[in-house]
């Protein structure tokens, strides 16, 4: 067993926060906060829990384009309303997941949901950017919204907690989200003293974000709220134990070994594809979305 442990490469404190629009105060763990190998995950913005004061005009991010990847929004506290140029809209409440495939191009905006904005309160979210393989970058946009009640759940024995499988497969419990490459995304909710283990292929890039609580990894490494655990690309087995009631976002995926050209909200393979994305956006090919 010991020889097959996926060892911790680093325990990372949240980088200094910055604002995205006026509604999201995020710590960017990668690619700018830390230079981590986390492909197919290209970006992780973590809005640690903060209190937003009540106000009538909802905070948020105005209309912006995306091409070449997927945006994944996972809510823990608060509520976000979103709209896109394909006609999709909805509200993401705690426990909900919005998995948006921008692919060939989409316009998007997201704001604090109206009632949440008027009341104020705790707000905590994660947004991931998931890269797409070159062959899929120009596929049609699509949208997968999963309510918390619809997330597939694996109940651990001994009242240890529950694993919410957003994407991938945990011991036969399959996430309802379809992905373009092999990806595992779970919300793990452990009770104090609860333990569980995972097995991910050695080449999968793997990281855990401690959303809440305090856990021990592989019997030795302690990590706490708002930290990220990054793992080495060797071994397969990871064991965690909750030192208090804890919530952990688990990310693991097969790397996409293709060149990357990124510019703002565009994530492609070659610089000329970025130029094309900018031209297409300027020509209105991403559709229309009212501010």
């Amino acid at each position: 067993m010991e020889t097959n442990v996926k060892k911790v490469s680093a325990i990372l404190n949240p980088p200094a926060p910055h604002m995205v629009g006026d509604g999201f105060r995020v710590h960017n763990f990668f690619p700018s906060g830390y230079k981590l190998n986390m492909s197919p995950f290209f970006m992780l913005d973590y809005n640690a829990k903060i209190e937003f004061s009540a106000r009538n005009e909802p905070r948020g991010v105005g209309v912006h384009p995306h091409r070449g990847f997927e945006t994944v929004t996972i809510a823990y506290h608060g509520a976000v309303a979103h709209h896109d140029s394909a006609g999709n809209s909805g509200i993401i409440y705690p426990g909900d997941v919005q998995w948006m495939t921008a692919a060939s191009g989409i316009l998007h905006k997201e704001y604090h949901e109206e009632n949440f904005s008027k009341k104020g309160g705790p707000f905590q979210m994660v947004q991931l950017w998931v890269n797409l393989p070159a062959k899929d970058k120009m596929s049609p946009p699509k949208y997968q919204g999963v309510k918390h009640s619809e997330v597939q759940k694996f109940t651990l024995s001994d009242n240890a907690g529950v694993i919410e499988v957003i994407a991938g497969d945990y011991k036969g419990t399959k996430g309802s989200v379809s992905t373009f490459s092999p990806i595992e995304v779970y919300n793990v909710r452990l009770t104090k003293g609860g333990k569980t283990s995972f097995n991910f292929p050695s080449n999968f890039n793997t990281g855990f974000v401690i959303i809440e609580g305090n856990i021990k990894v592989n019997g030795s490494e302690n990590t706490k709220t708002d930290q990220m655990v990054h793992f080495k690309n060797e071994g397969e087995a990871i064991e965690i134990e909750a030192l208090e009631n804890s919530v952990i976002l688990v990310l693991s995926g097969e790397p996409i070994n293709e060149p990357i050209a990124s510019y703002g909200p565009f994530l492609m393979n070659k610089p000329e594809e970025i130029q094309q994305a900018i031209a297409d956006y300027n020509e209105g090919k991403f559709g229309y979305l009212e501010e």
Side-chain angles (χ1 to χ4, degrees):
M1 171 70 181
E2 273 305 306
T3 55
N4 199 33
V5 169
K6 195 182 273 290
K7 293 189 171 69
V8 171
S9 80
I11 293 173
L12 306 167
N13 289 319
H18 67 273
M19 293 301 294
V20 176
D22 64 357
F24 302 89
R25 179 181 177 271
V26 302
H27 305 272
N28 181 265
F29 275 104
F30 59 86
S32 59
Y34 296 97
K35 301 301 177 206
L36 303 180
N37 188 10
M38 278 297 290
S39 173
F41 307 100
F42 179 77
M43 187 200 80
L44 195 165
D45 267 351
Y46 172 51
N47 190 130
K49 193 197 288 185
I50 54 167
E51 290 279 335
F52 275 109
S53 57
R55 67 182 254 181
N56 286 327
E57 190 63 30
R59 301 172 176 89
V61 184
V63 176
H64 54 281
H66 293 303
R67 172 178 280 181
F69 63 100
E70 303 181 289
T71 70
V72 179
T73 305
I74 305 170
Y76 297 97
H77 292 278
V80 171
H82 64 91
H83 299 267
D84 69 33
S85 54
N88 297 304
S89 66
I91 298 169
I92 309 158
Y93 292 107
D96 295 353
V97 179
Q98 176 208 309
W99 198 292
M100 185 179 78
T101 306
S104 62
I106 207 162
L107 301 178
H108 194 232
K109 63 179 179 179
E110 46 217 322
Y111 289 91
H112 292 190
E113 186 271 331
E114 200 172 347
N115 289 329
F116 171 77
S117 197
K118 285 177 176 165
K119 289 178 186 167
F123 190 84
Q124 188 178 24
M125 302 266 162
V126 165
Q127 187 167 87
L128 296 164
W129 288 11
V130 179
N131 192 16
L132 289 172
K135 66 181 176 55
D136 300 312
K137 282 189 180 292
M138 294 300 287
S139 57
K142 69 172 183 174
Y143 169 82
Q144 299 174 86
V146 188
K147 296 288 180 199
H148 186 230
S149 59
E150 300 165 349
V151 175
Q152 300 301 306
K153 299 171 180 74
F154 181 95
T155 302
L156 299 166
S157 55
D158 302 324
N159 293 321
V162 65
I163 294 180
E164 299 175 357
V165 185
I166 297 166
D169 182 333
Y170 182 81
K171 296 186 177 177
T173 297
K174 293 181 170 62
S176 56
V177 168
S178 66
T179 63
F180 288 82
S181 64
I183 295 173
E184 307 289 325
V185 179
Y186 318 145
N187 269 326
V188 179
R189 301 177 190 271
L190 293 181
T191 54
K192 183 178 179 179
K195 290 183 182 178
T196 191
S197 59
F198 308 94
N199 273 279
F200 300 122
S202 57
N203 69 314
F204 273 38
N205 292 320
T206 304
F208 294 0
V209 181
I210 316 307
I211 302 297
E212 193 176 295
N214 194 333
I215 66 166
K216 185 179 281 189
V217 182
N218 293 336
S220 59
E221 310 264 7
N222 280 24
T223 69
K224 58 182 193 292
T225 305
D226 299 341
Q227 289 183 323
M228 178 178 174
V229 188
H230 186 243
F231 293 88
K232 295 180 179 176
N233 290 103
E234 55 188 56
E236 296 179 352
I238 301 170
E239 185 180 90
I240 60 174
E241 177 185 359
L243 304 178
E244 55 187 280
N245 290 349
S246 299
V247 180
I248 306 104
L249 174 62
V250 168
L251 306 172
S252 189
E254 183 177 73
I256 297 172
N257 294 317
E258 296 174 350
I260 282 180
S262 74
Y263 177 79
F266 306 128
L267 181 55
M268 305 301 288
N269 300 102
K270 303 171 186 164
E272 52 267 35
E273 292 169 335
I274 295 290
Q275 298 303 323
Q276 187 64 54
I278 294 168
D280 289 351
Y281 169 64
N282 288 334
E283 288 170 24
K285 292 183 179 174
F286 284 42
Y288 174 75
L289 185 62
E290 198 172 317
E291 279 288 354

